[in-house]
Amino acid sequence: MKLNTIKYILLSSAFLFSGCNKYLDHEPDMRAEINTVDKVKRLIASAYPGRNSLAMAETYSDNVEDKGVGDLYQPVPSLYEWKDIIGDDTDSPTSYWNSCYEAIAAANHALDAIEKNDFGEAVLPYKGEALVARAYCHFMLVNYFAKVYDAKPGASNDSPGIPYVKEPETVLIKNYDRGTVKSTYDNIRQDLEEGLALLDAGNGLWDVPKYHFTPEAAHAFATRFYLFTAEWQKVVDNANKIFGGNFTGKLIPYNSTFKAMGFESARTAFAKAEQPYNLLITETYSGYQRWWNNRYAMGINVFQNIYNGMTAAGAKLYNFGVSYGAPHYTTYLWKEFWYVTNPTANTGYPMLMVPVLITDEALLNRAEAYAELGNTNNALADLNLFASNRINNYNPSTHAVTAAKAKEFFEVADEKKALVETTLQFKQIGFMSMGLRWFDIIRKGITVKHNVIGNNERETIIELKPEDPRRIFQIPQEAKLAGVELNPR
């Protein structure tokens, strides 16, 4: 829950899923007060998760390694071995689950108020925002806590999804049906497409637009959604509605502005709302920035061989990676701020501003879609625009991505496959520590390998293959109280 927004009805799905007593400390029902467009607008500001999934997504992925030494902050050691996490500690899967359903509850109360009041056309952009925010939270949950959507023609997608909550809670105990992955995706699609139409037709007057689902942010989310459903033309169409499809000057300026700033200034600027590449930023309670010295994080192998590895462009991508002393490395993107609750004692919470939707991702989603559609020239144009912002001293005559270079680099004969692989490589390096690699891992069926260094310093390799049930995060134990079926193990 955002710290600077109004409180809303608290007998909600968030209470049912978390069982947290803090919800009993507040006014139980404020729906009668949601009687103006301004109050709807303020309520929807709470329709965004107040926790992030950086730790769970990154530690499950191939962006981390066992360094042999370092701190053992939980839940990182368990996440590294793909074990179920018990408890709702900061940055745990349970805390993210609860936070998403808190956000969904806020969206549902706003939508309920819109349904029951005659607010006129002025409220329609905020209705669109609430619908897209609800879709986004359910999308994130289904891709962590359910089997990945199978986009192949004829696939049933009949495995359990996640509860799709569309109504405010009016009873203390309510049982929930997970439905199926298909039904979850169908509901996401309905909310997303209805919300997009309202956002595109309206003109929401947000105080800080980057903290809300504006049309640009909603279309960026749509490119991610349609990538999972393999609707390639819809990926392209939605990307083209962001800045008219022209991303020049709108990407993260690693090798230009940020390089000139220096690492510390660039880190401060990275998550700022005024940055054109940030389309949606969320304020989250998180200790993720502190984990660079964890035993299971970026080490020398990931730092040298992936983050600073050679790419299909024939050069490395420029980044801010630094070492705090081997074997501890970091992308140096995240800057924590301290939310003070007691100035005298200096107590409070570690917070991160997290750009959860950026132009760079939308661009590379479009590049992959173009490749899948057989539009090689446009795919290469997008890949080279990204490369021109990420390769140090970029020179198109030597650094341009070509189909021939991509095929040779990945040792494949198929042009489409080579360009898709190039896109995935750019995304893994370009979005390291941003939690996005996990989506490509599950979507493309990539096996994750983790090294494990034993007490005798002998190294072994453990694997997480595409059909391994541990690829699906376990439903929080507390959800059983609401009749939610746990994932098989």
Side-chain angles (χ1 to χ4, degrees), residues 122-404:
V123 82
L124 294 182
Y126 304 113
K127 180 180 179 180
E129 179 187 0
L131 288 167
V132 176
R134 185 169 73 181
Y136 171 81
C137 289
H138 283 105
F139 175 84
M140 296 296 286
L141 288 170
V142 76
N143 281 297
Y144 285 127
F145 296 97
K147 192 173 182 179
V148 65
Y149 184 87
D150 188 347
K152 292 192 294 291
S156 64
N157 288 299
D158 58 358
S159 57
I162 50 100
Y164 206 98
V165 183
K166 290 187 174 183
E167 298 176 351
E169 299 306 329
T170 57
V171 296
L172 183 61
I173 298 296
K174 180 177 180 179
N175 287 332
Y176 288 87
D177 182 0
R178 289 181 62 174
T180 64
V181 170
K182 181 181 185 304
S183 68
T184 303
Y185 263 71
D186 287 346
N187 280 311
I188 293 169
R189 181 190 297 274
Q190 181 179 348
D191 279 351
L192 173 61
E193 293 180 350
E194 182 181 352
L196 275 170
L198 293 172
L199 286 170
D200 283 341
N203 182 26
L205 299 177
W206 297 283
D207 296 329
V208 186
K210 298 298 182 68
Y211 296 162
H212 301 269
F213 266 113
T214 60
E216 292 80 11
H219 285 294
F221 167 45
T223 69
R224 187 186 295 179
F225 174 79
Y226 292 122
L227 210 62
F228 270 80
T229 61
E231 295 174 87
W232 310 120
Q233 189 58 51
K234 288 187 177 181
V235 175
V236 172
D237 292 343
N238 278 277
N240 286 343
K241 290 184 178 180
I242 306 169
F243 306 130
N246 183 4
F247 293 92
T248 301
K250 305 292 187 180
L251 302 178
I252 304 176
Y254 272 95
N255 64 0
S256 54
T257 305
F258 278 9
K259 180 183 175 182
M261 282 183 176
F263 285 5
E264 186 59 41
S265 296
R267 182 173 72 144
T268 300
F270 170 69
K272 293 290 187 181
E274 58 265 27
Q275 299 294 346
Y277 55 81
N278 284 332
L279 300 178
L280 178 62
I281 304 169
T282 59
E283 179 186 67
T284 65
Y285 171 28
S286 174
Y288 179 69
Q289 188 276 333
R290 306 176 178 197
W291 288 1
W292 55 267
N293 63 337
N294 200 288
R295 173 170 171 169
Y296 306 102
M298 178 188 282
I300 190 169
N301 291 318
V302 171
F303 184 77
Q304 291 184 346
N305 300 327
I306 299 178
Y307 197 47
N308 288 291
M310 192 61 67
T311 72
K316 303 175 182 180
L317 299 190
Y318 179 79
N319 56 55
F320 302 151
V322 298
S323 172
Y324 285 108
H328 303 304
Y329 296 83
T330 172
T331 60
Y332 211 67
L333 286 177
W334 303 108
K335 186 167 185 176
E336 176 184 297
F337 70 93
W338 190 250
Y339 182 83
V340 178
T341 56
N342 186 329
T344 302
N346 194 31
T347 56
Y349 305 98
M351 305 289 291
L352 285 183
M353 303 303 293
V354 180
V356 294
L357 291 167
I358 58 174
T359 55
D360 297 60
E361 182 197 359
L363 175 73
L364 291 181
N365 289 347
R366 186 176 70 177
E368 181 178 340
Y370 275 139
E372 292 286 355
L373 290 168
N375 192 334
T376 298
N377 289 338
N378 281 348
L380 288 171
D382 283 349
L383 290 169
N384 281 304
L385 178 58
F386 180 82
S388 70
N389 281 267
R390 290 303 302 264
I391 293 175
N392 197 27
N393 299 318
Y394 177 81
N395 184 335
S397 65
T398 55
H399 298 144
V401 180
T402 66

Side-chain angles (χ1 to χ4, degrees), residues 42-60:
R42 292 167 59 202
L43 177 56
I44 297 173
S46 294
Y48 299 87
R51 304 292 181 99
N52 64 62
S53 58
L54 297 175
M56 53 192 283
E58 287 293 307
T59 312
Y60 252 50

